[in-house]
Amino acid sequence: MQTFQLNLPPFMFQVETNIPLVARNANIIYGDAYSDEIDLLVYVDYYLSATYSGGIRRFYKPQARFLCDEREPFQPLTANQAYAMLEWGMNWTVAAHELQYAIVHSAVLAKDDKAILFPAPPGSGKSTLTAHLSQNGWRLLSDEMALIIPGTNQVIPFVRPICLKNSSIALAKHCFPESVFSTLAADTGKGDVIHMAPPKAAFEQNRTPAAIVGIVYPNYKADRKLDIYQLTMTESFMQLVDNSFNFTAIGKSSFDTLTSLIEKTKHFEIFYNDLNEVDLFLTEDIINVT
Amino acid sequence: MLLNQHLIVQLFLKPETLLALTEPERSKVMVVLRKQKVLAKLAFLIFDKTLDKQFDEKTLESDEHALQAYKKTLPSNEKPLQLDEKTIRHLKNALKVAEKQKEQVFLEANEISHILKPVSEFVVFLKGAAYSLNHSLAGQGRIYSDIDILVNKVQLSDCEQTLALHGWFGEKISNYDQRYYRKWAHEIAPLAHIQRGTIIDVHHNIIPIVSNDAPSVSILKNHIVCNKNGIQTLSLQAQFVHSAVHLFRNEEYKTAFRDVLDLYFMLIEIGPNNLSDITDVAEDLGFKYEIGLALRALQNIFELSLPAQTINLLLNKSTLRVAFDQFIFAKVLLPQHRLLDCNATPMRYFLATVRGHCIKMPLHLLTYHLLMKSGRGIIMKIFGAHIFSPKDIQSNDNLPQRK
């Protein structure tokens, strides 16, 4: 059994695993934030494990199970998906417990500490866009969840790898040959999945919050040049609530936070097939004018 | 400090014990209590209500400076303030979940009561829901996964139909399980609300019929009370008896500590000097022995001084039986976690499980029941616990299925 700690502000995780690919991937993805020398003096927020499930199943199509503080929130996956399972398990852990933030399922990228949220369902091209921007002058705060301090427009970074799916895997490997990638988790519920390490700069600034200035709902369409639609506040609010992880759990404070966010930011739905055009639009029409 | 079961118990008697721990020790305490489902309980004991409000306003700013300033402005004898920020955060978050559940249970109880009153002679809320609905000490910071209700058995199928009309449906279960619930158990299979996902367990008695010890409905009815909001529960004494019976006739003791805390806080509310109120109800319902075990356990765990003679009279079984039960319950009621420094007691857990099954049903039925159940169990033992599970499920009950 291997044990390692992941120092991922604002949280500290300790992970136990007997699946070699889990520790190996965590090590290459998290770099300096990964430590297999267990610091006994540190405050661990969550004790996680990703291990083989028992029985002779271990030798025939082995499965891996995720536990958070000895509780198992979801069904096991096949062992080759164990690292992706750990990443998703960490997302679950934060979304289910950290009620001091209004948490939105969204990528968060910033320029000059001005942040744009990209809330979107899988398949919208959100992660590919995140990967592109994070390699082109934008600071990655998160690919999966925006931790918003209630009553403010401040978003806290939670720097984690970018989860790429299916055809975007080859694309990302081609465009960013310098980047570090996890091993492939084949045939998951979302298809083939790979995790791409965040740029070093993202880790270096992982304690610096940013102010949310825009909310952009991306839709990648192979045959469509950049189309931009300004959303009404109601449309944007409904989409934001739909992407919120803990809207009902924290109730009024979440409602107030999201409404005030909607009132103070710009919001757009975009259709695109060229990432550079999107970058230009975001920089000129949102970042530079706020 | 040694992180052991004794320390965990102490935390509920003297919450300020938490202050004496180092930060890494507190982090482990958070994990242990969360698994036992009692983290919110400790949080409630630590933050008193007025402080609560001030604190919420401050932490929402969530920066360390605000927190530091806050620490300075309050008198030094206020307890939560010497805690570190992370511990405060975990405690507050656990409390938020409990408060949310409490809010929810009032809404659900009103609806359930309203729709079932025309069809059932009584609609009684049991266990966790009852503690919350009556604002009992046991309900403070209590979390639960379902709402337990008791209805009149003769009107059970009317109740089921009415609930279905209002969106409460049971999950598909095997014919064997269906028959098990109908014929032997004291409840029907859980019903989930189609929109809200809330789960209710509908009971028609407080213990399984098959045990032959279930009290008659006419006796149970004597212990139903109605609070000022028109919600029915058992009387506090009968709630104590029910909780004790539930605990000492169970087969599963992994989170027994929460039930132990429930019993402790109910005893405090009733008043340890009013034991006769509890024993009278226990006698009426026919559960003196379980109350004896409960009081003995509370006395040992929380170092109470309860009258030994009363407890001895309640423990009215053979010396061997009493000794056997006390041997098991000396350990299995305490919180268990691998982060705790305590001796493993798998044998006592095993005995507790066997004991629970034996009490539940006569031996010939038990043999049949376990035989039916163990076919699948044996396969799972050999092939791993997840042989039957679908290949790719990443969804979780609480969260939308997306990443």
Side-chain angles (χ1 to χ4, degrees), chain A residues 43-45 56-57 63 69-70 73 75-76 92 97-100 105 144 149 187 189-190 242, chain B residues 27 34-35 60 86-87 89-90 93 96 100 338 382-383 386 389 392 394 396 399 402-403:
Chain A
Y43 196 115
V44 175
D45 289 300
I56 61 169
R57 193 62 209 249
Q63 288 185 322
D69 301 343
E70 295 193 1
Q75 300 276 356
W92 175 85
H97 297 109
E98 296 297 336
L99 305 181
Q100 79 276 22
H105 180 235
E144 291 285 6
I149 300 177
D187 203 21
K190 308 177 214 183
D242 208 35
Chain B
S27 115
R34 196 183 284 126
K35 192 202 166 194
L60 292 186
K86 285 203 167 201
T87 304
R89 195 188 84 222
H90 285 300
N93 283 337
K96 269 183 209 162
K100 180 72 200 168
R338 69 194 164 84
I382 298 173
F383 291 99
H386 303 295
S389 52
D392 269 331
Q394 295 125 35
N396 174 265
L399 292 173
R402 54 165 115 92
K403 291 280 146 48

Side-chain angles (χ1 to χ4, degrees), chain A:
Chain A
M1 198 70 87
Q2 269 177 290
T3 308
F4 56 88
Q5 290 178 329
L6 295 174
N7 180 13
L8 306 174
F11 313 114
M12 172 67 100
F13 299 92
Q14 184 163 316
V15 184
E16 211 174 63
T17 185
N18 56 1
I19 307 175
L21 77 89
V22 170
R24 216 168 49 229
N25 279 309
N27 188 358
I28 59 167
I29 292 286
Y30 287 108
D32 291 342
Y34 169 98
S35 168
D36 50 15
E37 284 167 28
I38 298 307
D39 182 351
L40 294 173
L41 296 178
V42 84
Y43 196 115
V44 175
D45 289 300
Y46 299 101
Y47 290 81
L48 311 178
S49 76
T51 55
Y52 290 112
S53 30
I56 61 169
R57 193 62 209 249
R58 172 140 182 200
F59 306 102
Y60 171 72
K61 293 188 182 165
Q63 288 185 322
R65 61 197 299 208
F66 170 80
L67 295 168
C68 167
D69 301 343
E70 295 193 1
R71 295 162 304 146
E72 186 167 23
F74 41 73
Q75 300 276 356
L77 304 184
T78 60
N80 84 44
Q81 301 164 353
Y83 181 68
M85 178 186 74
L86 174 65
E87 285 291 339
W88 296 332
M90 285 160 73
N91 292 345
W92 175 85
T93 301
V94 170
H97 297 109
E98 296 297 336
L99 305 181
Q100 79 276 22
Y101 302 115
I103 305 183
V104 178
H105 180 235
S106 166
V108 187
L109 290 123
K111 246 184 187 175
D112 307 331
D113 294 337
K114 294 178 196 171
I116 297 179
L117 303 190
F118 299 91
S124 56
K126 174 194 66 146
S127 292
T128 316
L129 178 62
T130 306
H132 175 82
L133 295 176
S134 70
Q135 300 288 331
N136 288 282
W138 291 73
R139 171 159 76 96
L140 175 72
L141 281 83
S142 174
D143 171 46
E144 291 285 6
M145 44 177 73
L147 309 180
I148 305 166
I149 300 177
T152 74
N153 63 348
Q154 296 287 304
V155 57
I156 300 282
F158 180 37
V159 179
R160 304 274 307 285
I162 299 163
C163 177
L164 297 159
K165 287 140 228 154
N166 303 317
S167 53
S168 59
I169 296 173
L171 183 73
K173 284 192 166 174
H174 171 76
C175 296
F176 318 115
E178 310 276 283
S179 291
V180 175
F181 296 90
S182 73
T183 52
L184 180 86
D187 203 21
T188 71
K190 308 177 214 183
D192 292 350
V193 161
I194 216 164
H195 283 86
M196 172 178 160
K200 256 204 150 61
F203 279 123
E204 281 159 11
Q205 295 180 69
N206 63 8
R207 289 172 192 273
T208 314
I212 301 167
V213 295
I215 303 168
V216 173
Y217 302 89
N219 295 281
Y220 172 79
K221 291 273 183 280
D223 55 351
R224 222 160 147 180
K225 290 284 252 178
L226 183 60
D227 261 341
I228 301 160
Y229 298 90
Q230 183 140 23
L231 294 182
T232 65
M233 287 189 192
T234 320
E235 286 167 332
S236 184
F237 178 77
M238 292 315 290
Q239 287 209 45
L240 207 55
V241 169
D242 208 35
N243 282 292
S244 168
F245 279 123
N246 57 9
F247 187 72
T248 49
I250 62 175
K252 186 170 183 307
S253 112
S254 178
F255 178 85
D256 292 344
T257 306
L258 298 190
T259 37
S260 105
L261 206 57
I262 293 288
E263 284 162 6
K264 286 180 194 150
T265 54
K266 292 169 162 277
H267 10 104
F268 301 98
E269 181 160 21
I270 57 170
F271 297 85
Y272 61 92
N273 62 4
D274 184 335
L275 295 167
N276 290 314
E277 278 181 16
V278 176
D279 186 354
L280 200 65
F281 157 70
L282 297 172
T283 307
E284 292 189 348
D285 291 308
I286 301 181
I287 299 294
N288 290 350
V289 298
T290 47

